[in-house]
Amino acid sequence: MFAKLFPHPLLSLALLVIWLLLHNTLAPGHILLGGTLAILIPFTSATFWPERVCLRRPRLMLIYIARVALDIFTANLLVARWILGSSQRLQPAFIRYRLELKSPLAISALANTISLTPGTVSCDLSADRRELLIHSLHVSDVNETVLQIRQRYEQILLEVLKPC
């Protein structure tokens, strides 16, 4: 019964928290409306989810979120320096990144993380879902960039987002 009413309980919780933060209130009406939407949205969209994913290590996910936030801040400073400096020093490149991730949700999370970080964007996913095409504004060493993505992002997603 609980699993049918709450097909994605973490999503429901996140939707409620986001609702309350956006409205900056704990008024009973907003809690009721936000709670209703937090139940209805995942319930009505459950059939669109290709797989059920369990969050295996929530503490590690918090580390991932903090790491991404720090990387976004740092990348903003780097991109500003690159843009304000000489454009001849930039070394833009397309990188073919071989994925270890198999879950569509995990691949999407990695692609979005890469695109959220200034200076990089996920451009394409191969038809077999084994390779991600990434464009970077500045790459001095392709192998080091691939290793950094694998260690900073993909390894954590492999541990955290596993199919149930």
Side-chain angles (χ1 to χ4, degrees):
M1 173 70 179
F2 181 80
K4 286 204 180 244
L5 186 59
F6 296 101
H8 301 286
L10 290 176
L11 176 61
S12 293
L13 180 64
L15 287 172
L16 176 60
V17 168
I18 290 169
W19 179 269
L20 295 174
L21 287 173
L22 284 173
H23 290 280
N24 196 24
T25 183
L26 290 175
H30 277 285
I31 293 172
L32 182 63
L33 182 58
T36 303
L37 291 172
I39 292 170
L40 288 178
I41 290 171
F43 180 76
T44 57
S45 67
T47 57
F48 300 117
W49 292 66
E51 64 184 340
R52 184 163 166 77
V53 175
C54 294
L55 194 60
R56 300 285 182 193
R57 297 181 58 195
R59 198 175 293 168
L60 192 56
M61 188 59 157
L62 292 176
I63 292 171
Y64 180 80
I65 291 168
R67 178 176 289 170
V68 170
L70 179 65
D71 288 352
I72 289 171
F73 177 76
T74 306
N76 271 304
L77 296 176
L78 281 171
V79 169
R81 191 177 82 196
W82 294 334
I83 297 300
L84 295 174
S86 173
S87 61
Q88 272 86 21
R89 292 192 332 218
L90 286 179
Q91 299 172 339
F94 281 98
I95 300 168
R96 294 207 172 273
Y97 182 83
R98 194 88 175 136
L99 292 165
E100 291 180 30
L101 296 168
K102 304 289 183 232
S103 159
L105 180 64
I107 292 170
S108 178
L110 178 64
N112 284 310
T113 298
I114 289 167
S115 293
L116 279 172
T117 308
T120 56
V121 66
S122 301
C123 300
D124 191 29
L125 178 64
S126 65
D128 62 1
R129 293 185 176 169
R130 293 183 188 208
E131 203 171 69
L132 190 62
L133 181 64
I134 301 167
H135 181 268
S136 181
L137 187 60
H138 181 74
V139 177
S140 54
D141 182 3
V142 172
N143 292 329
E144 185 177 322
T145 303
V146 166
L147 185 63
Q148 186 178 17
I149 292 170
R150 191 163 320 283
Q151 289 175 344
R152 293 192 67 77
Y153 306 129
E154 190 175 26
Q155 291 304 315
I156 293 177
L157 290 173
L158 278 167
E159 291 183 46
V160 173
L161 298 177
K162 294 186 177 182
C164 296

